């Protein structure tokens, strides 16, 4: 089961609350997903029904905010 830890994810209420996203490639979680299961509007949302649990988003996240258990 894939999970987002919203305490660790810096994207809050539609904007970055801490890091320089472009420099850190934060948001890469959205771009790397091969099935477009992640959206980042108000907050990061993962459509668990579409997720393949490939781990690509977790690997790219600079804040270790995504885990697969
Ligand atoms: S890369 Fe990580 S910290 Fe950045 S938006 Fe995605 S889940 Fe949040
Ligand atoms: S684990 Fe893979 S398929 Fe699932 S949301 Fe992350 S990148 Fe997309």
């Amino acid at each position: 089961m894939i999970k987002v830890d919203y305490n660790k994810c810096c994207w809050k209420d539609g904007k970055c609350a801490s890091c320089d996203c472009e420099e850190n490639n934060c948001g890469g979680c959205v771009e790397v997903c091969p099935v477009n299961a992640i959206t980042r509007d108000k907050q990061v949302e993962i459509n668990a029904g579409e997720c393949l649990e490939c781990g690509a988003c977790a690997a790219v996240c600079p804040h270790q905010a995504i885990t697969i258990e």
Side-chain angles (χ1 to χ4, degrees):
M1 185 69 183
I2 189 153
K3 282 188 186 164
V4 180
D5 183 333
Y6 289 107
N7 291 317
K8 291 182 178 175
C9 178
C10 64
W11 193 259
K12 300 182 195 302
D13 201 23
K15 60 184 189 295
C16 178
S18 62
C19 70
D20 181 333
C21 284
E22 284 182 27
E23 243 175 58
N24 290 335
N25 194 29
C26 185
C29 59
V30 176
E31 289 162 23
V32 80
C33 179
V35 291
N36 298 318
I38 309 180
T39 56
R40 190 174 80 158
D41 295 320
K42 284 264 180 195
Q43 64 178 18
V44 170
E45 301 283 0
I46 299 179
N47 184 333
E50 292 178 9
C51 173
L52 308 173
E53 301 199 344
C54 70
C57 55
V60 83
C61 176
H63 299 291
Q64 292 78 48
I66 302 177
T67 53
I68 301 173
E69 292 166 5

